[in-house]
Amino acid sequence: MATSREAGASRAHRVLACLESRKNLTGSACGLVGLALTFTGIAGAYWPIVVAGLYGAGALIAPPERPAAPAFPDPSSQLDEVRGDFITLREYLTSVELPPAASGQLTELLTRYEALLDPGWVADALATDPESVYVLARAVRQDVPEAVDAYVRTRWWTRLAPASEPPERHLVRQLGVLFDEADTLAVALRETESHRQQTHTRYLEERRGHRPGAS
């Protein structure tokens, strides 16, 4: 019973969509022109052919239906999700014991991430660059957790079978790379704001017909 009801609703939806389509509306408008020609006597005895022909012509010249583009989350909403993941990451890191060198470097890295994610004009500037949002999201969700987890697992095995290179050395190197990456994001944002300021200066000077160095 439910299946039959759903099938009937689907057919009704398709019929309604056809009636509301651009082709049908344009064809109907042209068909009305044909009816007007019939009432004025211009179409004569061939009025059914005239009406049908005008309807078909209108349906042919009507623009095709354009499906709505998918609505993906914008960078601002993605940053909100990254902020939530960043809180989860910090909670995880509080339960991990790290060597002093790596712990200090990780603290600096998290401070940089926190500054970039802080709601306000900094985050607004970051949201204008989807690639930067992706880089930051990848670092929070993948790079930092993987670096710390790999250290924890390798350290356990090193206790059983000592290795020539201590695992904390790799962790420090990885955190250093991630800090440089975060620093690059910050520099890019600064340069963007600097360029915006310079552009506004040129605009104001050109608006007043003034050039630097002009008397």
Side-chain angles (χ1 to χ4, degrees):
M1 181 70 68
T3 302
S4 300
R5 196 178 301 120
E6 291 175 358
S10 178
R11 285 193 297 270
H13 177 74
R14 288 196 297 268
V15 171
L16 182 61
C18 180
L19 292 175
E20 295 177 346
S21 67
R22 296 178 181 177
K23 290 185 177 296
N24 182 64
L25 294 177
T26 306
S28 298
C30 292
L32 290 176
V33 174
L35 289 176
L37 295 176
T38 300
F39 293 143
T40 57
I42 298 176
Y46 299 100
W47 69 267
I49 299 177
V50 172
V51 173
L54 288 175
Y55 176 88
L60 288 175
I61 65 174
E65 294 295 327
R66 182 177 62 86
F72 296 113
D74 58 24
S76 297
S77 61
Q78 293 178 19
L79 276 182
D80 292 337
E81 297 178 0
V82 177
R83 289 189 187 99
D85 295 336
F86 180 69
I87 294 175
T88 302
L89 174 64
R90 299 201 74 153
E91 292 174 351
Y92 158 70
L93 294 175
T94 58
S95 63
V96 180
E97 181 182 353
L98 299 177
S103 179
Q105 200 165 16
L106 181 61
T107 298
E108 293 182 3
L109 178 62
L110 295 180
T111 301
R112 180 58 58 87
Y113 289 159
E114 187 174 18
L116 291 171
L117 289 170
D118 186 34
W121 67 269
V122 175
D124 292 341
L126 180 65
T128 61
D129 185 4
E131 181 63 26
S132 296
V133 174
Y134 168 76
V135 170
L136 187 56
R138 181 183 60 189
V140 170
R141 296 168 176 168
Q142 176 181 337
D143 296 334
V144 174
E146 175 61 24
V148 174
D149 185 61
Y151 162 77
V152 173
R153 288 183 282 111
T154 306
R155 181 185 60 179
W156 187 86
W157 285 106
T158 302
R159 291 173 179 174
L160 297 180
S164 58
E165 188 173 15
E168 55 266 25
R169 186 175 302 172
H170 279 286
L171 176 59
V172 169
R173 289 168 58 187
Q174 292 167 4
L175 294 177
V177 171
L178 291 174
F179 185 86
D180 290 343
E181 184 180 67
D183 192 58
T184 299
L185 290 180
V187 170
L189 291 176
R190 183 195 64 196
E191 292 178 348
T192 298
E193 293 300 320
S194 177
H195 178 72
R196 177 184 177 186
Q197 183 187 37
Q198 295 170 10
T199 300
H200 190 57
T201 300
R202 288 194 297 269
Y203 162 72
L204 293 177
E205 292 175 344
E206 292 173 358
R207 189 176 69 181
R208 291 183 57 87
H210 172 74
R211 297 293 186 275
S215 56

PDB file of all heavy atoms in Angstrom, residues 67-102:
ATOM      1  N   PRO A  67      19.828  22.199 -13.443  1.00  0.00           N
ATOM      2  CA  PRO A  67      19.743  21.665 -12.078  1.00  0.00           C
ATOM      3  C   PRO A  67      20.494  22.554 -11.104  1.00  0.00           C
ATOM      4  O   PRO A  67      21.507  23.172 -11.462  1.00  0.00           O
ATOM      5  CB  PRO A  67      20.405  20.280 -12.195  1.00  0.00           C
ATOM      6  CG  PRO A  67      21.289  20.394 -13.396  1.00  0.00           C
ATOM      7  CD  PRO A  67      20.599  21.333 -14.340  1.00  0.00           C
ATOM      8  N   ALA A  68      19.986  22.629  -9.901  1.00  0.00           N
ATOM      9  CA  ALA A  68      20.628  23.462  -8.885  1.00  0.00           C
ATOM     10  C   ALA A  68      22.001  22.904  -8.531  1.00  0.00           C
ATOM     11  O   ALA A  68      22.179  21.688  -8.379  1.00  0.00           O
ATOM     12  CB  ALA A  68      19.755  23.526  -7.637  1.00  0.00           C
ATOM     13  N   ALA A  69      22.977  23.777  -8.435  1.00  0.00           N
ATOM     14  CA  ALA A  69      24.328  23.353  -8.069  1.00  0.00           C
ATOM     15  C   ALA A  69      24.336  22.875  -6.622  1.00  0.00           C
ATOM     16  O   ALA A  69      23.610  23.411  -5.771  1.00  0.00           O
ATOM     17  CB  ALA A  69      25.303  24.519  -8.244  1.00  0.00           C
ATOM     18  N   PRO A  70      25.136  21.854  -6.318  1.00  0.00           N
ATOM     19  CA  PRO A  70      25.184  21.360  -4.931  1.00  0.00           C
ATOM     20  C   PRO A  70      25.723  22.433  -4.001  1.00  0.00           C
ATOM     21  O   PRO A  70      26.646  23.175  -4.350  1.00  0.00           O
ATOM     22  CB  PRO A  70      26.135  20.158  -5.021  1.00  0.00           C
ATOM     23  CG  PRO A  70      26.946  20.400  -6.261  1.00  0.00           C
ATOM     24  CD  PRO A  70      26.043  21.117  -7.211  1.00  0.00           C
ATOM     25  N   ALA A  71      25.150  22.526  -2.829  1.00  0.00           N
ATOM     26  CA  ALA A  71      25.568  23.516  -1.839  1.00  0.00           C
ATOM     27  C   ALA A  71      26.574  22.889  -0.888  1.00  0.00           C
ATOM     28  O   ALA A  71      26.212  22.141   0.021  1.00  0.00           O
ATOM     29  CB  ALA A  71      24.355  24.038  -1.068  1.00  0.00           C
ATOM     30  N   PHE A  72      27.852  23.153  -1.134  1.00  0.00           N
ATOM     31  CA  PHE A  72      28.906  22.647  -0.261  1.00  0.00           C
ATOM     32  C   PHE A  72      29.190  23.665   0.842  1.00  0.00           C
ATOM     33  O   PHE A  72      28.975  24.865   0.655  1.00  0.00           O
ATOM     34  CB  PHE A  72      30.183  22.382  -1.062  1.00  0.00           C
ATOM     35  CG  PHE A  72      30.026  21.298  -2.089  1.00  0.00           C
ATOM     36  CD1 PHE A  72      30.080  21.589  -3.442  1.00  0.00           C
ATOM     37  CD2 PHE A  72      29.816  19.996  -1.704  1.00  0.00           C
ATOM     38  CE1 PHE A  72      29.937  20.599  -4.392  1.00  0.00           C
ATOM     39  CE2 PHE A  72      29.668  18.986  -2.640  1.00  0.00           C
ATOM     40  CZ  PHE A  72      29.726  19.291  -3.990  1.00  0.00           C
ATOM     41  N   PRO A  73      29.675  23.208   1.982  1.00  0.00           N
ATOM     42  CA  PRO A  73      29.977  24.159   3.058  1.00  0.00           C
ATOM     43  C   PRO A  73      31.068  25.133   2.648  1.00  0.00           C
ATOM     44  O   PRO A  73      32.042  24.741   2.005  1.00  0.00           O
ATOM     45  CB  PRO A  73      30.423  23.246   4.214  1.00  0.00           C
ATOM     46  CG  PRO A  73      30.756  21.933   3.595  1.00  0.00           C
ATOM     47  CD  PRO A  73      29.932  21.816   2.370  1.00  0.00           C
ATOM     48  N   ASP A  74      30.885  26.393   3.003  1.00  0.00           N
ATOM     49  CA  ASP A  74      31.886  27.394   2.656  1.00  0.00           C
ATOM     50  C   ASP A  74      33.056  27.316   3.632  1.00  0.00           C
ATOM     51  O   ASP A  74      32.973  26.660   4.680  1.00  0.00           O
ATOM     52  CB  ASP A  74      31.271  28.795   2.640  1.00  0.00           C
ATOM     53  CG  ASP A  74      30.642  29.166   3.975  1.00  0.00           C
ATOM     54  OD1 ASP A  74      31.052  28.597   5.004  1.00  0.00           O
ATOM     55  OD2 ASP A  74      29.749  30.016   3.993  1.00  0.00           O
ATOM     56  N   PRO A  75      34.188  27.980   3.309  1.00  0.00           N
ATOM     57  CA  PRO A  75      35.356  27.895   4.187  1.00  0.00           C
ATOM     58  C   PRO A  75      35.085  28.330   5.625  1.00  0.00           C
ATOM     59  O   PRO A  75      35.682  27.799   6.559  1.00  0.00           O
ATOM     60  CB  PRO A  75      36.361  28.834   3.495  1.00  0.00           C
ATOM     61  CG  PRO A  75      35.985  28.805   2.053  1.00  0.00           C
ATOM     62  CD  PRO A  75      34.485  28.700   2.052  1.00  0.00           C
ATOM     63  N   SER A  76      34.175  29.299   5.818  1.00  0.00           N
ATOM     64  CA  SER A  76      33.883  29.759   7.180  1.00  0.00           C
ATOM     65  C   SER A  76      33.269  28.644   8.019  1.00  0.00           C
ATOM     66  O   SER A  76      33.664  28.429   9.173  1.00  0.00           O
ATOM     67  CB  SER A  76      32.929  30.961   7.141  1.00  0.00           C
ATOM     68  OG  SER A  76      33.531  32.051   6.479  1.00  0.00           O
ATOM     69  N   SER A  77      32.315  27.925   7.446  1.00  0.00           N
ATOM     70  CA  SER A  77      31.712  26.815   8.188  1.00  0.00           C
ATOM     71  C   SER A  77      32.702  25.681   8.377  1.00  0.00           C
ATOM     72  O   SER A  77      32.670  24.971   9.387  1.00  0.00           O
ATOM     73  CB  SER A  77      30.461  26.313   7.455  1.00  0.00           C
ATOM     74  OG  SER A  77      30.785  25.836   6.161  1.00  0.00           O
ATOM     75  N   GLN A  78      33.616  25.498   7.422  1.00  0.00           N
ATOM     76  CA  GLN A  78      34.647  24.483   7.580  1.00  0.00           C
ATOM     77  C   GLN A  78      35.576  24.831   8.734  1.00  0.00           C
ATOM     78  O   GLN A  78      36.027  23.948   9.468  1.00  0.00           O
ATOM     79  CB  GLN A  78      35.439  24.343   6.279  1.00  0.00           C
ATOM     80  CG  GLN A  78      34.633  23.779   5.119  1.00  0.00           C
ATOM     81  CD  GLN A  78      35.447  23.699   3.844  1.00  0.00           C
ATOM     82  OE1 GLN A  78      36.665  23.728   3.859  1.00  0.00           O
ATOM     83  NE2 GLN A  78      34.762  23.626   2.722  1.00  0.00           N
ATOM     84  N   LEU A  79      35.862  26.122   8.903  1.00  0.00           N
ATOM     85  CA  LEU A  79      36.704  26.534  10.028  1.00  0.00           C
ATOM     86  C   LEU A  79      36.035  26.215  11.358  1.00  0.00           C
ATOM     87  O   LEU A  79      36.716  25.861  12.333  1.00  0.00           O
ATOM     88  CB  LEU A  79      37.006  28.024   9.928  1.00  0.00           C
ATOM     89  CG  LEU A  79      38.184  28.435   9.040  1.00  0.00           C
ATOM     90  CD1 LEU A  79      38.370  29.947   9.083  1.00  0.00           C
ATOM     91  CD2 LEU A  79      39.470  27.742   9.465  1.00  0.00           C
ATOM     92  N   ASP A  80      34.716  26.351  11.423  1.00  0.00           N
ATOM     93  CA  ASP A  80      34.001  25.987  12.653  1.00  0.00           C
ATOM     94  C   ASP A  80      34.218  24.523  12.988  1.00  0.00           C
ATOM     95  O   ASP A  80      34.423  24.160  14.159  1.00  0.00           O
ATOM     96  CB  ASP A  80      32.505  26.275  12.499  1.00  0.00           C
ATOM     97  CG  ASP A  80      32.211  27.768  12.420  1.00  0.00           C
ATOM     98  OD1 ASP A  80      33.042  28.557  12.910  1.00  0.00           O
ATOM     99  OD2 ASP A  80      31.166  28.145  11.850  1.00  0.00           O
ATOM    100  N   GLU A  81      34.195  23.671  11.977  1.00  0.00           N
ATOM    101  CA  GLU A  81      34.431  22.249  12.198  1.00  0.00           C
ATOM    102  C   GLU A  81      35.870  21.994  12.640  1.00  0.00           C
ATOM    103  O   GLU A  81      36.128  21.160  13.506  1.00  0.00           O
ATOM    104  CB  GLU A  81      34.121  21.469  10.919  1.00  0.00           C
ATOM    105  CG  GLU A  81      32.664  21.550  10.483  1.00  0.00           C
ATOM    106  CD  GLU A  81      32.424  20.808   9.179  1.00  0.00           C
ATOM    107  OE1 GLU A  81      33.397  20.238   8.642  1.00  0.00           O
ATOM    108  OE2 GLU A  81      31.276  20.812   8.706  1.00  0.00           O
ATOM    109  N   VAL A  82      36.815  22.721  12.045  1.00  0.00           N
ATOM    110  CA  VAL A  82      38.226  22.557  12.417  1.00  0.00           C
ATOM    111  C   VAL A  82      38.435  22.984  13.866  1.00  0.00           C
ATOM    112  O   VAL A  82      39.224  22.374  14.601  1.00  0.00           O
ATOM    113  CB  VAL A  82      39.133  23.351  11.464  1.00  0.00           C
ATOM    114  CG1 VAL A  82      40.595  23.233  11.893  1.00  0.00           C
ATOM    115  CG2 VAL A  82      38.984  22.845  10.035  1.00  0.00           C
ATOM    116  N   ARG A  83      37.748  24.039  14.306  1.00  0.00           N
ATOM    117  CA  ARG A  83      37.868  24.479  15.701  1.00  0.00           C
ATOM    118  C   ARG A  83      37.431  23.372  16.654  1.00  0.00           C
ATOM    119  O   ARG A  83      38.064  23.129  17.686  1.00  0.00           O
ATOM    120  CB  ARG A  83      37.021  25.729  15.940  1.00  0.00           C
ATOM    121  CG  ARG A  83      37.556  26.977  15.273  1.00  0.00           C
ATOM    122  CD  ARG A  83      36.792  28.217  15.717  1.00  0.00           C
ATOM    123  NE  ARG A  83      37.198  29.373  14.950  1.00  0.00           N
ATOM    124  CZ  ARG A  83      36.521  29.854  13.905  1.00  0.00           C
ATOM    125  NH1 ARG A  83      35.383  29.282  13.539  1.00  0.00           N
ATOM    126  NH2 ARG A  83      36.969  30.908  13.250  1.00  0.00           N
ATOM    127  N   GLY A  84      36.330  22.710  16.308  1.00  0.00           N
ATOM    128  CA  GLY A  84      35.882  21.598  17.142  1.00  0.00           C
ATOM    129  C   GLY A  84      36.884  20.464  17.161  1.00  0.00           C
ATOM    130  O   GLY A  84      37.156  19.872  18.217  1.00  0.00           O
ATOM    131  N   ASP A  85      37.476  20.157  16.000  1.00  0.00           N
ATOM    132  CA  ASP A  85      38.486  19.104  15.939  1.00  0.00           C
ATOM    133  C   ASP A  85      39.750  19.509  16.693  1.00  0.00           C
ATOM    134  O   ASP A  85      40.447  18.658  17.259  1.00  0.00           O
ATOM    135  CB  ASP A  85      38.824  18.793  14.483  1.00  0.00           C
ATOM    136  CG  ASP A  85      37.645  18.200  13.728  1.00  0.00           C
ATOM    137  OD1 ASP A  85      36.764  17.616  14.383  1.00  0.00           O
ATOM    138  OD2 ASP A  85      37.592  18.329  12.489  1.00  0.00           O
ATOM    139  N   PHE A  86      40.059  20.810  16.690  1.00  0.00           N
ATOM    140  CA  PHE A  86      41.238  21.286  17.412  1.00  0.00           C
ATOM    141  C   PHE A  86      41.063  21.080  18.913  1.00  0.00           C
ATOM    142  O   PHE A  86      42.025  20.719  19.620  1.00  0.00           O
ATOM    143  CB  PHE A  86      41.473  22.764  17.089  1.00  0.00           C
ATOM    144  CG  PHE A  86      42.669  23.356  17.784  1.00  0.00           C
ATOM    145  CD1 PHE A  86      43.949  22.954  17.434  1.00  0.00           C
ATOM    146  CD2 PHE A  86      42.512  24.311  18.766  1.00  0.00           C
ATOM    147  CE1 PHE A  86      45.065  23.502  18.067  1.00  0.00           C
ATOM    148  CE2 PHE A  86      43.612  24.855  19.402  1.00  0.00           C
ATOM    149  CZ  PHE A  86      44.887  24.463  19.050  1.00  0.00           C
ATOM    150  N   ILE A  87      39.863  21.312  19.412  1.00  0.00           N
ATOM    151  CA  ILE A  87      39.594  21.059  20.835  1.00  0.00           C
ATOM    152  C   ILE A  87      39.781  19.578  21.150  1.00  0.00           C
ATOM    153  O   ILE A  87      40.386  19.211  22.171  1.00  0.00           O
ATOM    154  CB  ILE A  87      38.161  21.514  21.186  1.00  0.00           C
ATOM    155  CG1 ILE A  87      38.045  23.031  21.051  1.00  0.00           C
ATOM    156  CG2 ILE A  87      37.786  21.078  22.598  1.00  0.00           C
ATOM    157  CD1 ILE A  87      36.636  23.559  21.251  1.00  0.00           C
ATOM    158  N   THR A  88      39.296  18.719  20.271  1.00  0.00           N
ATOM    159  CA  THR A  88      39.473  17.275  20.461  1.00  0.00           C
ATOM    160  C   THR A  88      40.951  16.902  20.448  1.00  0.00           C
ATOM    161  O   THR A  88      41.407  16.065  21.240  1.00  0.00           O
ATOM    162  CB  THR A  88      38.736  16.506  19.354  1.00  0.00           C
ATOM    163  OG1 THR A  88      37.340  16.857  19.377  1.00  0.00           O
ATOM    164  CG2 THR A  88      38.875  15.009  19.542  1.00  0.00           C
ATOM    165  N   LEU A  89      41.714  17.518  19.558  1.00  0.00           N
ATOM    166  CA  LEU A  89      43.148  17.238  19.477  1.00  0.00           C
ATOM    167  C   LEU A  89      43.852  17.636  20.769  1.00  0.00           C
ATOM    168  O   LEU A  89      44.686  16.882  21.289  1.00  0.00           O
ATOM    169  CB  LEU A  89      43.750  17.996  18.291  1.00  0.00           C
ATOM    170  CG  LEU A  89      45.277  17.934  18.151  1.00  0.00           C
ATOM    171  CD1 LEU A  89      45.740  16.509  17.888  1.00  0.00           C
ATOM    172  CD2 LEU A  89      45.752  18.870  17.045  1.00  0.00           C
ATOM    173  N   ARG A  90      43.524  18.787  21.310  1.00  0.00           N
ATOM    174  CA  ARG A  90      44.180  19.240  22.541  1.00  0.00           C
ATOM    175  C   ARG A  90      43.850  18.308  23.696  1.00  0.00           C
ATOM    176  O   ARG A  90      44.711  18.036  24.553  1.00  0.00           O
ATOM    177  CB  ARG A  90      43.757  20.669  22.867  1.00  0.00           C
ATOM    178  CG  ARG A  90      44.123  21.677  21.810  1.00  0.00           C
ATOM    179  CD  ARG A  90      44.158  23.078  22.354  1.00  0.00           C
ATOM    180  NE  ARG A  90      45.358  23.268  23.170  1.00  0.00           N
ATOM    181  CZ  ARG A  90      45.951  24.450  23.357  1.00  0.00           C
ATOM    182  NH1 ARG A  90      45.448  25.535  22.811  1.00  0.00           N
ATOM    183  NH2 ARG A  90      47.023  24.552  24.101  1.00  0.00           N
ATOM    184  N   GLU A  91      42.623  17.822  23.744  1.00  0.00           N
ATOM    185  CA  GLU A  91      42.254  16.875  24.805  1.00  0.00           C
ATOM    186  C   GLU A  91      43.057  15.591  24.676  1.00  0.00           C
ATOM    187  O   GLU A  91      43.492  15.010  25.690  1.00  0.00           O
ATOM    188  CB  GLU A  91      40.757  16.585  24.731  1.00  0.00           C
ATOM    189  CG  GLU A  91      39.880  17.789  25.085  1.00  0.00           C
ATOM    190  CD  GLU A  91      38.411  17.511  24.868  1.00  0.00           C
ATOM    191  OE1 GLU A  91      38.105  16.438  24.269  1.00  0.00           O
ATOM    192  OE2 GLU A  91      37.571  18.342  25.260  1.00  0.00           O
ATOM    193  N   TYR A  92      43.274  15.138  23.449  1.00  0.00           N
ATOM    194  CA  TYR A  92      44.075  13.931  23.229  1.00  0.00           C
ATOM    195  C   TYR A  92      45.524  14.148  23.652  1.00  0.00           C
ATOM    196  O   TYR A  92      46.139  13.288  24.297  1.00  0.00           O
ATOM    197  CB  TYR A  92      44.003  13.536  21.756  1.00  0.00           C
ATOM    198  CG  TYR A  92      45.137  12.661  21.287  1.00  0.00           C
ATOM    199  CD1 TYR A  92      45.261  11.338  21.711  1.00  0.00           C
ATOM    200  CD2 TYR A  92      46.104  13.166  20.412  1.00  0.00           C
ATOM    201  CE1 TYR A  92      46.312  10.544  21.282  1.00  0.00           C
ATOM    202  CE2 TYR A  92      47.147  12.376  19.970  1.00  0.00           C
ATOM    203  CZ  TYR A  92      47.256  11.067  20.413  1.00  0.00           C
ATOM    204  OH  TYR A  92      48.300  10.276  19.995  1.00  0.00           O
ATOM    205  N   LEU A  93      46.074  15.302  23.331  1.00  0.00           N
ATOM    206  CA  LEU A  93      47.486  15.565  23.612  1.00  0.00           C
ATOM    207  C   LEU A  93      47.759  15.684  25.104  1.00  0.00           C
ATOM    208  O   LEU A  93      48.892  15.436  25.546  1.00  0.00           O
ATOM    209  CB  LEU A  93      47.933  16.835  22.890  1.00  0.00           C
ATOM    210  CG  LEU A  93      47.939  16.751  21.357  1.00  0.00           C
ATOM    211  CD1 LEU A  93      48.273  18.105  20.743  1.00  0.00           C
ATOM    212  CD2 LEU A  93      48.930  15.685  20.874  1.00  0.00           C
ATOM    213  N   THR A  94      46.756  16.058  25.902  1.00  0.00           N
ATOM    214  CA  THR A  94      46.964  16.146  27.349  1.00  0.00           C
ATOM    215  C   THR A  94      47.199  14.778  27.976  1.00  0.00           C
ATOM    216  O   THR A  94      47.751  14.690  29.076  1.00  0.00           O
ATOM    217  CB  THR A  94      45.756  16.809  28.030  1.00  0.00           C
ATOM    218  OG1 THR A  94      44.567  16.059  27.734  1.00  0.00           O
ATOM    219  CG2 THR A  94      45.583  18.243  27.547  1.00  0.00           C
ATOM    220  N   SER A  95      46.816  13.726  27.272  1.00  0.00           N
ATOM    221  CA  SER A  95      46.979  12.368  27.816  1.00  0.00           C
ATOM    222  C   SER A  95      48.261  11.701  27.334  1.00  0.00           C
ATOM    223  O   SER A  95      48.515  10.543  27.672  1.00  0.00           O
ATOM    224  CB  SER A  95      45.775  11.501  27.417  1.00  0.00           C
ATOM    225  OG  SER A  95      45.702  11.355  26.007  1.00  0.00           O
ATOM    226  N   VAL A  96      49.063  12.418  26.548  1.00  0.00           N
ATOM    227  CA  VAL A  96      50.282  11.846  25.979  1.00  0.00           C
ATOM    228  C   VAL A  96      51.494  12.474  26.651  1.00  0.00           C
ATOM    229  O   VAL A  96      51.579  13.697  26.796  1.00  0.00           O
ATOM    230  CB  VAL A  96      50.355  12.082  24.461  1.00  0.00           C
ATOM    231  CG1 VAL A  96      51.631  11.479  23.893  1.00  0.00           C
ATOM    232  CG2 VAL A  96      49.135  11.478  23.772  1.00  0.00           C
ATOM    233  N   GLU A  97      52.426  11.625  27.053  1.00  0.00           N
ATOM    234  CA  GLU A  97      53.662  12.107  27.671  1.00  0.00           C
ATOM    235  C   GLU A  97      54.726  12.263  26.588  1.00  0.00           C
ATOM    236  O   GLU A  97      55.065  11.298  25.894  1.00  0.00           O
ATOM    237  CB  GLU A  97      54.142  11.125  28.735  1.00  0.00           C
ATOM    238  CG  GLU A  97      55.402  11.576  29.445  1.00  0.00           C
ATOM    239  CD  GLU A  97      55.877  10.564  30.468  1.00  0.00           C
ATOM    240  OE1 GLU A  97      55.135   9.577  30.705  1.00  0.00           O
ATOM    241  OE2 GLU A  97      56.971  10.743  31.013  1.00  0.00           O
ATOM    242  N   LEU A  98      55.239  13.466  26.443  1.00  0.00           N
ATOM    243  CA  LEU A  98      56.228  13.756  25.416  1.00  0.00           C
ATOM    244  C   LEU A  98      57.516  14.249  26.047  1.00  0.00           C
ATOM    245  O   LEU A  98      57.500  14.819  27.151  1.00  0.00           O
ATOM    246  CB  LEU A  98      55.702  14.833  24.451  1.00  0.00           C
ATOM    247  CG  LEU A  98      54.433  14.489  23.660  1.00  0.00           C
ATOM    248  CD1 LEU A  98      54.006  15.690  22.819  1.00  0.00           C
ATOM    249  CD2 LEU A  98      54.658  13.277  22.774  1.00  0.00           C
ATOM    250  N   PRO A  99      58.644  14.085  25.373  1.00  0.00           N
ATOM    251  CA  PRO A  99      59.921  14.612  25.879  1.00  0.00           C
ATOM    252  C   PRO A  99      59.888  16.135  25.913  1.00  0.00           C
ATOM    253  O   PRO A  99      59.134  16.760  25.156  1.00  0.00           O
ATOM    254  CB  PRO A  99      60.949  14.073  24.880  1.00  0.00           C
ATOM    255  CG  PRO A  99      60.168  13.782  23.635  1.00  0.00           C
ATOM    256  CD  PRO A  99      58.817  13.359  24.095  1.00  0.00           C
ATOM    257  N   PRO A 100      60.686  16.764  26.780  1.00  0.00           N
ATOM    258  CA  PRO A 100      60.630  18.228  26.938  1.00  0.00           C
ATOM    259  C   PRO A 100      60.794  18.999  25.634  1.00  0.00           C
ATOM    260  O   PRO A 100      60.063  19.963  25.390  1.00  0.00           O
ATOM    261  CB  PRO A 100      61.782  18.515  27.914  1.00  0.00           C
ATOM    262  CG  PRO A 100      61.948  17.240  28.682  1.00  0.00           C
ATOM    263  CD  PRO A 100      61.632  16.139  27.713  1.00  0.00           C
ATOM    264  N   ALA A 101      61.738  18.605  24.783  1.00  0.00           N
ATOM    265  CA  ALA A 101      61.975  19.340  23.539  1.00  0.00           C
ATOM    266  C   ALA A 101      60.743  19.302  22.647  1.00  0.00           C
ATOM    267  O   ALA A 101      60.314  20.332  22.110  1.00  0.00           O
ATOM    268  CB  ALA A 101      63.179  18.759  22.804  1.00  0.00           C
ATOM    269  N   ALA A 102      60.155  18.136  22.490  1.00  0.00           N
ATOM    270  CA  ALA A 102      58.970  17.996  21.643  1.00  0.00           C
ATOM    271  C   ALA A 102      57.769  18.674  22.282  1.00  0.00           C
ATOM    272  O   ALA A 102      56.938  19.279  21.591  1.00  0.00           O
ATOM    273  CB  ALA A 102      58.671  16.529  21.390  1.00  0.00           C
TER     274      ALA A 102
END
